[in-house]
Amino acid sequence: MEDNFNPDNFEEFLQEQVGNQRMYPSDAVWRDINKKLHGEKRWPALTIAAFLLLSVTVGICVHFTPKSSIFLKPGLEPISISKQPVTSDDVLNKLTSSAPFANNNNNNNQVTSSAPNIGNTDEVAEQTTNSSITDPATVNIPNENIALEQKATSRSSSAYYTGRVENYSGKDEKLVLNKTETSLVQETVNEEGLIKSTVEEASPIAQITPPSRAIVSPGEFKKDYNDKNMVDEFLKDHKNDITLYTVTKPEDGEA
Amino acid sequence: MTEEYIIAGCLHNEPSAQRELYNRFSPKMLAVCYRFAQSREDAEDMLQEGFIKVFTQIHTFQNKGAFEGWIRRIVVHTCINFLKKYKKFNDSVDLANADYVYIKEETIPSIMQAKQVTECIRHLPIGYRTVLNLYAIEGYSHREIATMLDIEESTSRSQYTRAKSMLENILIKKNILEKPKAQFGWLAGVKK
C-alpha cells in the first residue's frame, strides 16, 4: 500500500524515521564524563582493602598471641624453680654448696632461694605468681619433712602464699598440702588409698622478707667483691672448695 | 525518579542524579550526534562534550520548555562546534560547492528502515547533511542555520534543496521511497 503525499511531507517523514532513533553509548563515555565532573578517584577499593587487611593483622597479633606454655604437654604445669637470671652470685653460691653445707641446710629445713636443688627433699613447689617477681624469700612451713621454696609473689608486703605441696613422709604415705589464702588443707594418703584431711586456718605465712640475696647459709653472709681484690678474696674464701676439685697434673713417670 | 528530582540532584552535583539523567537521555542524544558525525567515535566524543555542558550549565535551565528539548539544543550546538573545531567541513564538500556530488548507494547498508534512513543521511556530503539535519529533523529555521554555520540564509536554503533532492534519489534507489506518480509530482509515495 502506498501513501501519497506532497513534497512538504518530506520533513515529517524524516522526523518519523529518525527522530526517535536510539543508540546506546559505551561505558567509557560515562566514565570520562564522571571523571571530568568529579575528578578521578584513585583506587578507593584498594585503599579500603589495604586498611582492612592491616586492621585484621594487628587484631590477630594483639588478641591471639600464643601462650608461653604452648609446647608443654597438657596437664603438666611448669615447675618454676628459679625465675631469676643467672648472675655471678648464683655461680658463687653453687660453688659453696658442698656436702657439709647441704647437710646444714637439711638440718635447718631451709633451702636457699638461689640454689634450688640442694638437699634431698622431693618437694614440688607450685607458685601462684604474677609477672612482677622481685626478690626471693624463704618460707618455712612447720612440717619437719617439707621445705618449701618460694619467691615473693608481689611487691605487697601482705601477700599470702597459695600453693600445693606433695611429699612422701617415708611411711608409704603421701602428704598433700593444699594451701589457699584462707585455709590450709592437709591430706594424708596412705598405702591403702585412704585419705585423711585436716583443715587449718591460714595465716599470712609468706611475709615477704627484705632482699636477702646474700644469704648462703644460716648466719653467714656472702661478701661483696669489688673489681680490685675479687680474685684474691674469692680464692681466699673458697680455698677448701677449690682444693676439692683441683686435679694435679700427673708426672711423666706415672703415666 | 522524576525529572524534577533529577534536575534538583544535578543542581547539587549529585553523581546518582547525573547518572540517571545520562541514562535517560543519552540514547536519543547519541543518535542525534551520529547523524552529524563522520563515525561512531566522533559521535561519542560529541555526546561526551554535550553532556558535560549539560551538567555544568544546568543552572541556566529555566523550566520554560521541555527539558529534553533543552538538552537536545545543547547537544546539537556541541555537534556543530565539534565539526567547526576539527574543520570537518573542509575535509568534505564545501557548503557552497556540492552541486555535482555522486553518492554510491551500494555502500549504504541494508538494515532496518529507520537506521537505513539515518545511514542514507550520513552518506550525504557533510555540508548537505548538516543543513538537512538542522532544518528537516531538528526544526531550525534557515536564519538560525545561517547564524550557526556562519553562512548566508540563501545558501542554507539552496543547500537544503540540493540535499533533499539527493536524499530522495538515494531513498528511491533503496526502495524506501517510491517514485511519485506524474499527477502528484515525482515524489508522491512512501513504500511501507
Side-chain angles (χ1 to χ4, degrees), chain A residues 178-234:
Chain A
N178 289 324
K179 188 175 283 294
T180 63
E181 291 184 356
T182 57
S183 64
L184 174 65
V185 180
Q186 179 175 344
E187 295 177 348
T188 305
V189 183
N190 60 15
E191 191 177 12
E192 297 174 353
L194 298 176
I195 300 173
K196 294 178 181 178
S197 61
T198 307
V199 179
E200 296 178 2
E201 290 297 324
S203 60
I205 58 174
Q207 296 292 339
I208 295 177
T209 59
S212 60
R213 62 177 180 81
I215 298 176
V216 292
S217 62
E220 181 181 355
F221 290 88
K222 183 177 68 64
K223 291 181 179 178
D224 288 331
Y225 300 101
N226 55 32
D227 292 337
K228 293 180 179 179
N229 61 350
M230 182 178 68
V231 177
D232 295 337
E233 291 293 326
F234 179 78

Short mmCIF file of all heavy atoms in Angstrom, two decimals, chain A residues 178-234:
data_model
loop_
_atom_site.label_atom_id
_atom_site.label_comp_id
_atom_site.label_asym_id
_atom_site.label_seq_id
_atom_site.Cartn_x
_atom_site.Cartn_y
_atom_site.Cartn_z
N ASN A 178 47.36 -28.52 100.62
CA ASN A 178 46.72 -27.53 99.75
C ASN A 178 46.54 -26.26 100.56
O ASN A 178 45.78 -26.21 101.51
CB ASN A 178 45.35 -28.03 99.27
CG ASN A 178 45.50 -29.15 98.26
OD1 ASN A 178 46.43 -29.13 97.46
ND2 ASN A 178 44.62 -30.12 98.34
N LYS A 179 47.26 -25.32 100.20
CA LYS A 179 47.20 -24.09 100.98
C LYS A 179 46.61 -22.99 100.11
O LYS A 179 47.07 -22.74 99.00
CB LYS A 179 48.59 -23.69 101.45
CG LYS A 179 48.59 -22.52 102.42
CD LYS A 179 49.97 -22.28 102.94
CE LYS A 179 50.31 -23.32 103.98
NZ LYS A 179 49.48 -23.17 105.19
N THR A 180 45.56 -22.38 100.63
CA THR A 180 44.94 -21.27 99.92
C THR A 180 45.11 -20.03 100.75
O THR A 180 45.82 -20.02 101.75
CB THR A 180 43.44 -21.56 99.69
OG1 THR A 180 42.82 -21.65 100.95
CG2 THR A 180 43.24 -22.87 98.93
N GLU A 181 44.41 -19.01 100.35
CA GLU A 181 44.56 -17.75 101.06
C GLU A 181 43.91 -17.79 102.44
O GLU A 181 44.27 -17.04 103.33
CB GLU A 181 43.94 -16.62 100.26
CG GLU A 181 44.73 -16.31 99.00
CD GLU A 181 44.15 -15.13 98.27
OE1 GLU A 181 43.09 -14.65 98.72
OE2 GLU A 181 44.73 -14.70 97.29
N THR A 182 42.92 -18.65 102.60
CA THR A 182 42.18 -18.64 103.87
C THR A 182 42.35 -19.90 104.67
O THR A 182 41.97 -19.94 105.83
CB THR A 182 40.70 -18.42 103.60
OG1 THR A 182 40.24 -19.47 102.72
CG2 THR A 182 40.46 -17.08 102.94
N SER A 183 42.82 -20.98 104.07
CA SER A 183 42.87 -22.22 104.83
C SER A 183 44.03 -23.07 104.36
O SER A 183 44.52 -22.92 103.26
CB SER A 183 41.56 -23.00 104.68
OG SER A 183 41.40 -23.39 103.34
N LEU A 184 44.39 -23.96 105.21
CA LEU A 184 45.43 -24.93 104.88
C LEU A 184 44.80 -26.30 104.98
O LEU A 184 44.32 -26.71 106.03
CB LEU A 184 46.60 -24.81 105.86
CG LEU A 184 47.69 -25.86 105.73
CD1 LEU A 184 48.39 -25.73 104.38
CD2 LEU A 184 48.68 -25.74 106.85
N VAL A 185 44.76 -27.01 103.87
CA VAL A 185 44.17 -28.34 103.84
C VAL A 185 45.31 -29.34 103.76
O VAL A 185 46.11 -29.30 102.82
CB VAL A 185 43.23 -28.50 102.64
CG1 VAL A 185 42.61 -29.90 102.64
CG2 VAL A 185 42.14 -27.44 102.68
N GLN A 186 45.36 -30.17 104.75
CA GLN A 186 46.43 -31.16 104.79
C GLN A 186 45.81 -32.53 104.58
O GLN A 186 44.94 -32.96 105.33
CB GLN A 186 47.15 -31.09 106.15
CG GLN A 186 48.26 -32.12 106.27
CD GLN A 186 49.02 -31.96 107.55
OE1 GLN A 186 48.91 -30.91 108.20
NE2 GLN A 186 49.76 -32.97 107.94
N GLU A 187 46.25 -33.21 103.55
CA GLU A 187 45.70 -34.51 103.22
C GLU A 187 46.81 -35.53 103.30
O GLU A 187 47.93 -35.30 102.84
CB GLU A 187 45.11 -34.51 101.81
CG GLU A 187 43.91 -33.59 101.67
CD GLU A 187 43.41 -33.57 100.24
OE1 GLU A 187 44.13 -34.08 99.36
OE2 GLU A 187 42.32 -33.03 100.02
N THR A 188 46.45 -36.65 103.90
CA THR A 188 47.43 -37.74 104.01
C THR A 188 46.84 -38.95 103.32
O THR A 188 45.75 -39.40 103.66
CB THR A 188 47.72 -38.05 105.48
OG1 THR A 188 48.14 -36.86 106.12
CG2 THR A 188 48.81 -39.10 105.57
N VAL A 189 47.55 -39.45 102.35
CA VAL A 189 47.09 -40.62 101.60
C VAL A 189 47.98 -41.78 101.99
O VAL A 189 49.19 -41.74 101.76
CB VAL A 189 47.17 -40.36 100.09
CG1 VAL A 189 46.60 -41.55 99.33
CG2 VAL A 189 46.42 -39.09 99.73
N ASN A 190 47.39 -42.76 102.57
CA ASN A 190 48.20 -43.90 102.96
C ASN A 190 48.25 -44.92 101.83
O ASN A 190 47.74 -44.69 100.73
CB ASN A 190 47.68 -44.51 104.26
CG ASN A 190 46.22 -44.96 104.08
OD1 ASN A 190 45.74 -45.06 102.97
ND2 ASN A 190 45.56 -45.22 105.18
N GLU A 191 48.85 -46.05 102.12
CA GLU A 191 49.07 -47.04 101.07
C GLU A 191 47.77 -47.63 100.57
O GLU A 191 47.65 -48.04 99.43
CB GLU A 191 49.98 -48.14 101.63
CG GLU A 191 50.49 -49.08 100.56
CD GLU A 191 51.44 -50.09 101.16
OE1 GLU A 191 51.49 -50.16 102.41
OE2 GLU A 191 52.15 -50.78 100.40
N GLU A 192 46.77 -47.72 101.45
CA GLU A 192 45.51 -48.34 101.06
C GLU A 192 44.60 -47.38 100.30
O GLU A 192 43.51 -47.73 99.91
CB GLU A 192 44.79 -48.84 102.31
CG GLU A 192 45.58 -49.92 103.04
CD GLU A 192 44.93 -50.28 104.35
OE1 GLU A 192 43.95 -49.57 104.71
OE2 GLU A 192 45.35 -51.24 105.00
N GLY A 193 45.05 -46.17 100.14
CA GLY A 193 44.25 -45.22 99.39
C GLY A 193 43.34 -44.39 100.24
O GLY A 193 42.53 -43.62 99.73
N LEU A 194 43.39 -44.55 101.55
CA LEU A 194 42.55 -43.74 102.41
C LEU A 194 43.14 -42.35 102.55
O LEU A 194 44.36 -42.19 102.63
CB LEU A 194 42.42 -44.41 103.79
CG LEU A 194 41.77 -45.79 103.78
CD1 LEU A 194 41.79 -46.37 105.19
CD2 LEU A 194 40.35 -45.70 103.25
N ILE A 195 42.26 -41.42 102.62
CA ILE A 195 42.71 -40.03 102.67
C ILE A 195 42.28 -39.43 103.99
O ILE A 195 41.13 -39.50 104.40
CB ILE A 195 42.11 -39.22 101.51
CG1 ILE A 195 42.55 -39.83 100.18
CG2 ILE A 195 42.49 -37.75 101.61
CD1 ILE A 195 41.87 -39.20 99.00
N LYS A 196 43.22 -38.84 104.64
CA LYS A 196 42.92 -38.09 105.85
C LYS A 196 43.19 -36.63 105.55
O LYS A 196 44.25 -36.27 105.05
CB LYS A 196 43.80 -38.53 107.00
CG LYS A 196 43.55 -39.97 107.45
CD LYS A 196 44.50 -40.33 108.56
CE LYS A 196 44.28 -41.79 109.00
NZ LYS A 196 45.22 -42.19 110.05
N SER A 197 42.25 -35.81 105.89
CA SER A 197 42.44 -34.39 105.60
C SER A 197 42.24 -33.57 106.85
O SER A 197 41.42 -33.87 107.70
CB SER A 197 41.44 -33.93 104.54
OG SER A 197 40.13 -34.11 105.01
N THR A 198 43.01 -32.52 106.96
CA THR A 198 42.92 -31.60 108.08
C THR A 198 42.91 -30.19 107.54
O THR A 198 43.70 -29.85 106.65
CB THR A 198 44.14 -31.75 109.00
OG1 THR A 198 44.25 -33.13 109.36
CG2 THR A 198 43.99 -30.89 110.22
N VAL A 199 41.96 -29.39 108.07
CA VAL A 199 41.84 -28.01 107.59
C VAL A 199 42.27 -27.08 108.70
O VAL A 199 41.81 -27.19 109.83
CB VAL A 199 40.39 -27.71 107.18
CG1 VAL A 199 40.28 -26.26 106.71
CG2 VAL A 199 39.93 -28.67 106.10
N GLU A 200 43.14 -26.22 108.40
CA GLU A 200 43.60 -25.22 109.37
C GLU A 200 43.39 -23.83 108.80
O GLU A 200 43.44 -23.63 107.59
CB GLU A 200 45.09 -25.43 109.67
CG GLU A 200 45.41 -26.74 110.33
CD GLU A 200 46.90 -26.89 110.53
OE1 GLU A 200 47.62 -25.94 110.17
OE2 GLU A 200 47.33 -27.93 111.03
N GLU A 201 43.14 -22.94 109.72
CA GLU A 201 43.02 -21.56 109.27
C GLU A 201 44.38 -21.06 108.85
O GLU A 201 45.40 -21.35 109.48
CB GLU A 201 42.49 -20.67 110.41
CG GLU A 201 41.05 -20.93 110.74
CD GLU A 201 40.12 -20.63 109.60
OE1 GLU A 201 40.38 -19.66 108.85
OE2 GLU A 201 39.12 -21.37 109.42
N ALA A 202 44.37 -20.31 107.77
CA ALA A 202 45.65 -19.85 107.24
C ALA A 202 46.06 -18.55 107.90
O ALA A 202 45.24 -17.80 108.43
CB ALA A 202 45.53 -19.61 105.74
N SER A 203 47.28 -18.39 107.89
CA SER A 203 47.85 -17.14 108.40
C SER A 203 48.80 -16.60 107.35
O SER A 203 49.27 -17.34 106.48
CB SER A 203 48.60 -17.41 109.71
OG SER A 203 49.64 -18.32 109.48
N PRO A 204 49.02 -15.36 107.42
CA PRO A 204 49.95 -14.80 106.43
C PRO A 204 51.34 -15.35 106.61
O PRO A 204 52.17 -14.78 107.29
CB PRO A 204 49.88 -13.29 106.69
CG PRO A 204 49.37 -13.16 108.07
CD PRO A 204 48.48 -14.32 108.33
N ILE A 205 51.53 -16.50 105.98
CA ILE A 205 52.78 -17.21 106.20
C ILE A 205 53.89 -16.73 105.31
O ILE A 205 55.03 -17.07 105.50
CB ILE A 205 52.57 -18.71 105.98
CG1 ILE A 205 52.07 -18.95 104.57
CG2 ILE A 205 51.61 -19.26 107.01
CD1 ILE A 205 51.97 -20.41 104.21
N ALA A 206 53.49 -16.00 104.31
CA ALA A 206 54.53 -15.65 103.33
C ALA A 206 54.81 -14.17 103.37
O ALA A 206 54.67 -13.48 102.39
CB ALA A 206 54.09 -16.06 101.94
N GLN A 207 55.10 -13.74 104.52
CA GLN A 207 55.53 -12.35 104.60
C GLN A 207 56.83 -12.19 103.84
O GLN A 207 57.75 -12.97 103.98
CB GLN A 207 55.74 -11.96 106.07
CG GLN A 207 54.49 -12.00 106.91
CD GLN A 207 53.50 -10.93 106.54
OE1 GLN A 207 53.87 -9.94 105.93
NE2 GLN A 207 52.24 -11.14 106.88
N ILE A 208 56.82 -11.19 103.04
CA ILE A 208 58.00 -11.01 102.20
C ILE A 208 59.10 -10.41 103.02
O ILE A 208 58.93 -9.40 103.69
CB ILE A 208 57.66 -10.10 101.02
CG1 ILE A 208 56.64 -10.79 100.13
CG2 ILE A 208 58.91 -9.76 100.23
CD1 ILE A 208 56.19 -9.96 99.00
N THR A 209 60.17 -11.11 102.95
CA THR A 209 61.33 -10.62 103.67
C THR A 209 62.08 -9.64 102.79
O THR A 209 61.90 -9.64 101.57
CB THR A 209 62.25 -11.77 104.04
OG1 THR A 209 62.65 -12.42 102.83
CG2 THR A 209 61.54 -12.75 104.95
N PRO A 210 62.84 -8.82 103.39
CA PRO A 210 63.63 -7.90 102.58
C PRO A 210 64.58 -8.69 101.69
O PRO A 210 64.82 -9.88 101.90
CB PRO A 210 64.39 -7.07 103.62
CG PRO A 210 63.67 -7.29 104.88
CD PRO A 210 62.99 -8.60 104.81
N PRO A 211 65.09 -8.03 100.70
CA PRO A 211 66.01 -8.72 99.80
C PRO A 211 67.12 -9.39 100.57
O PRO A 211 67.80 -8.79 101.39
CB PRO A 211 66.54 -7.59 98.92
CG PRO A 211 65.48 -6.56 98.95
CD PRO A 211 64.85 -6.66 100.30
N SER A 212 67.27 -10.69 100.30
CA SER A 212 68.22 -11.47 101.07
C SER A 212 69.15 -12.21 100.13
O SER A 212 69.33 -13.41 100.26
CB SER A 212 67.49 -12.45 101.97
OG SER A 212 66.72 -13.30 101.18
N ARG A 213 69.65 -11.54 99.20
CA ARG A 213 70.45 -12.22 98.20
C ARG A 213 71.78 -12.71 98.77
O ARG A 213 72.42 -13.57 98.19
CB ARG A 213 70.74 -11.29 97.05
CG ARG A 213 71.54 -10.07 97.42
CD ARG A 213 71.82 -9.25 96.19
NE ARG A 213 72.59 -8.07 96.52
CZ ARG A 213 73.90 -8.07 96.69
NH1 ARG A 213 74.56 -9.21 96.62
NH2 ARG A 213 74.55 -6.96 96.97
N ALA A 214 72.15 -12.16 99.95
CA ALA A 214 73.46 -12.53 100.47
C ALA A 214 73.43 -13.78 101.32
O ALA A 214 74.45 -14.24 101.79
CB ALA A 214 74.03 -11.38 101.29
N ILE A 215 72.21 -14.34 101.56
CA ILE A 215 72.11 -15.50 102.43
C ILE A 215 72.60 -16.73 101.70
O ILE A 215 72.04 -17.14 100.70
CB ILE A 215 70.68 -15.72 102.91
CG1 ILE A 215 70.22 -14.52 103.73
CG2 ILE A 215 70.57 -17.01 103.70
CD1 ILE A 215 68.78 -14.60 104.16
N VAL A 216 73.66 -17.31 102.16
CA VAL A 216 74.15 -18.55 101.57
C VAL A 216 74.08 -19.68 102.57
O VAL A 216 74.01 -20.83 102.22
CB VAL A 216 75.59 -18.39 101.06
CG1 VAL A 216 75.61 -17.45 99.87
CG2 VAL A 216 76.48 -17.88 102.16
N SER A 217 74.14 -19.37 103.81
CA SER A 217 73.95 -20.37 104.86
C SER A 217 73.52 -19.63 106.10
O SER A 217 73.70 -18.41 106.19
CB SER A 217 75.27 -21.13 105.11
OG SER A 217 76.24 -20.23 105.56
N PRO A 218 72.93 -20.33 107.02
CA PRO A 218 72.43 -19.63 108.20
C PRO A 218 73.54 -18.90 108.93
O PRO A 218 74.56 -19.47 109.26
CB PRO A 218 71.84 -20.75 109.06
CG PRO A 218 71.58 -21.85 108.12
CD PRO A 218 72.57 -21.74 107.03
N GLY A 219 73.29 -17.66 109.13
CA GLY A 219 74.22 -16.87 109.90
C GLY A 219 75.43 -16.41 109.13
O GLY A 219 76.33 -15.81 109.70
N GLU A 220 75.48 -16.70 107.89
CA GLU A 220 76.67 -16.31 107.14
C GLU A 220 76.26 -15.49 105.93
O GLU A 220 75.32 -15.86 105.21
CB GLU A 220 77.43 -17.54 106.67
CG GLU A 220 78.71 -17.21 105.90
CD GLU A 220 79.42 -18.45 105.42
OE1 GLU A 220 78.94 -19.55 105.80
OE2 GLU A 220 80.40 -18.35 104.70
N PHE A 221 76.90 -14.42 105.72
CA PHE A 221 76.59 -13.56 104.58
C PHE A 221 77.75 -13.57 103.61
O PHE A 221 78.92 -13.55 104.01
CB PHE A 221 76.30 -12.13 105.05
CG PHE A 221 75.01 -12.03 105.80
CD1 PHE A 221 74.96 -12.23 107.17
CD2 PHE A 221 73.84 -11.76 105.12
CE1 PHE A 221 73.77 -12.15 107.84
CE2 PHE A 221 72.65 -11.67 105.81
CZ PHE A 221 72.60 -11.87 107.17
N LYS A 222 77.42 -13.60 102.39
CA LYS A 222 78.45 -13.63 101.37
C LYS A 222 79.04 -12.25 101.22
O LYS A 222 78.37 -11.24 101.30
CB LYS A 222 77.85 -14.06 100.03
CG LYS A 222 78.86 -14.20 98.93
CD LYS A 222 78.19 -14.71 97.67
CE LYS A 222 77.25 -13.62 97.12
NZ LYS A 222 77.98 -12.43 96.72
N LYS A 223 80.29 -12.25 101.00
CA LYS A 223 80.97 -10.98 100.84
C LYS A 223 80.74 -10.42 99.45
O LYS A 223 80.52 -11.15 98.49
CB LYS A 223 82.47 -11.16 101.06
CG LYS A 223 82.85 -11.49 102.50
CD LYS A 223 84.34 -11.62 102.60
CE LYS A 223 84.74 -11.92 104.04
NZ LYS A 223 86.21 -12.10 104.15
N ASP A 224 80.82 -9.15 99.44
CA ASP A 224 80.78 -8.49 98.13
C ASP A 224 82.20 -8.29 97.65
O ASP A 224 83.06 -7.82 98.40
CB ASP A 224 80.07 -7.14 98.24
CG ASP A 224 78.60 -7.34 98.44
OD1 ASP A 224 78.08 -8.38 97.96
OD2 ASP A 224 77.98 -6.47 99.07
N TYR A 225 82.39 -8.65 96.45
CA TYR A 225 83.72 -8.49 95.85
C TYR A 225 83.72 -7.28 94.93
O TYR A 225 82.79 -7.06 94.17
CB TYR A 225 84.08 -9.74 95.04
CG TYR A 225 84.11 -11.00 95.86
CD1 TYR A 225 83.05 -11.89 95.83
CD2 TYR A 225 85.21 -11.28 96.67
CE1 TYR A 225 83.07 -13.04 96.58
CE2 TYR A 225 85.23 -12.44 97.42
CZ TYR A 225 84.16 -13.31 97.38
OH TYR A 225 84.18 -14.44 98.12
N ASN A 226 84.82 -6.58 95.04
CA ASN A 226 84.96 -5.49 94.08
C ASN A 226 85.96 -5.91 93.00
O ASN A 226 86.51 -7.01 93.02
CB ASN A 226 85.41 -4.21 94.78
CG ASN A 226 86.66 -4.42 95.58
OD1 ASN A 226 87.50 -5.23 95.22
ND2 ASN A 226 86.79 -3.70 96.69
N ASP A 227 86.19 -5.03 92.08
CA ASP A 227 87.00 -5.39 90.92
C ASP A 227 88.47 -5.62 91.28
O ASP A 227 89.16 -6.41 90.65
CB ASP A 227 86.90 -4.29 89.87
CG ASP A 227 85.51 -4.25 89.28
OD1 ASP A 227 84.81 -5.29 89.37
OD2 ASP A 227 85.13 -3.20 88.74
N LYS A 228 88.93 -4.94 92.28
CA LYS A 228 90.37 -4.98 92.54
C LYS A 228 90.79 -6.27 93.25
O LYS A 228 91.71 -6.96 92.84
CB LYS A 228 90.77 -3.78 93.39
CG LYS A 228 90.62 -2.44 92.63
CD LYS A 228 91.01 -1.28 93.48
CE LYS A 228 90.88 0.03 92.72
NZ LYS A 228 91.24 1.19 93.55
N ASN A 229 90.05 -6.59 94.31
CA ASN A 229 90.50 -7.74 95.09
C ASN A 229 89.62 -8.96 94.89
O ASN A 229 89.59 -9.85 95.71
CB ASN A 229 90.53 -7.38 96.57
CG ASN A 229 89.13 -7.02 97.05
OD1 ASN A 229 88.23 -6.86 96.26
ND2 ASN A 229 88.99 -6.92 98.35
N MET A 230 88.89 -8.98 93.80
CA MET A 230 87.89 -10.03 93.63
C MET A 230 88.55 -11.41 93.58
O MET A 230 88.13 -12.34 94.28
CB MET A 230 87.10 -9.79 92.35
CG MET A 230 86.00 -10.80 92.12
SD MET A 230 85.05 -10.46 90.65
CE MET A 230 86.30 -10.78 89.42
N VAL A 231 89.56 -11.56 92.78
CA VAL A 231 90.19 -12.87 92.60
C VAL A 231 90.84 -13.32 93.89
O VAL A 231 90.66 -14.47 94.35
CB VAL A 231 91.20 -12.81 91.46
CG1 VAL A 231 91.92 -14.15 91.31
CG2 VAL A 231 90.49 -12.43 90.17
N ASP A 232 91.56 -12.41 94.54
CA ASP A 232 92.25 -12.78 95.77
C ASP A 232 91.28 -13.16 96.86
O ASP A 232 91.44 -14.18 97.55
CB ASP A 232 93.12 -11.61 96.24
CG ASP A 232 94.24 -11.34 95.24
OD1 ASP A 232 94.59 -12.29 94.48
OD2 ASP A 232 94.74 -10.20 95.20
N GLU A 233 90.26 -12.35 97.01
CA GLU A 233 89.28 -12.63 98.06
C GLU A 233 88.54 -13.92 97.79
O GLU A 233 88.25 -14.70 98.69
CB GLU A 233 88.28 -11.47 98.14
CG GLU A 233 88.87 -10.20 98.68
CD GLU A 233 89.26 -10.35 100.14
OE1 GLU A 233 88.57 -11.07 100.89
OE2 GLU A 233 90.27 -9.74 100.54
N PHE A 234 88.22 -14.14 96.54
CA PHE A 234 87.48 -15.35 96.18
C PHE A 234 88.31 -16.59 96.46
O PHE A 234 87.83 -17.57 97.03
CB PHE A 234 87.11 -15.28 94.69
CG PHE A 234 86.37 -16.50 94.21
CD1 PHE A 234 85.02 -16.66 94.49
CD2 PHE A 234 87.02 -17.49 93.52
CE1 PHE A 234 84.34 -17.77 94.06
CE2 PHE A 234 86.33 -18.61 93.08
CZ PHE A 234 84.99 -18.75 93.36
#
